Amino acid sequence: NITSGSGRSDTAAKLYKNASEVTGTESRIYNRTVGRGEGTGTATVILTLSANDIIDVRVARDDGTDTIRTLANACRLTITEV
């Protein structure tokens, strides 16, 4: 969500496993303007995980100058054991 600016920015979200980017998980989000900046990014991947693996999602502005933040209680990561 854009909190200030009008530069029509882009953000990128990526999944990391043990501090290494997981190939194929980059999701790009277009953030338009204040009040219209909410966007959704989705990626699906099958990973082999071990008990001590660390998984994190990193999101950063990739283009533009707006101030962008994630929305509280609006982010989701689903992990299913197969």
Side-chain angles (χ1 to χ4, degrees):
N1 187 28
I2 295 178
T3 58
S4 67
S6 59
R8 299 181 183 216
S9 297
D10 295 310
T11 51
K14 300 175 186 178
L15 183 73
Y16 284 74
K17 175 183 169 184
N18 300 323
S20 296
E21 182 182 337
V22 177
T23 303
T25 64
E26 182 174 347
S27 179
R28 314 229 9 116
I29 303 105
Y30 173 66
N31 309 100
R32 188 174 169 93
T33 58
V34 174
R36 295 179 172 216
E38 298 175 13
T40 301
T42 303
T44 302
V45 65
I46 297 174
L47 294 176
T48 301
L49 301 174
S50 299
N52 294 315
D53 285 339
I54 297 171
I55 301 297
D56 61 304
V57 178
R58 300 179 192 178
V59 182
R61 185 182 62 226
D62 193 50
D63 188 37
T65 58
D66 296 316
T67 300
I68 302 169
R69 66 175 177 84
T70 57
L71 297 173
N73 302 313
C75 298
R76 182 181 325 160
L77 176 63
T78 303
I79 299 175
T80 304
E81 183 178 5
V82 180

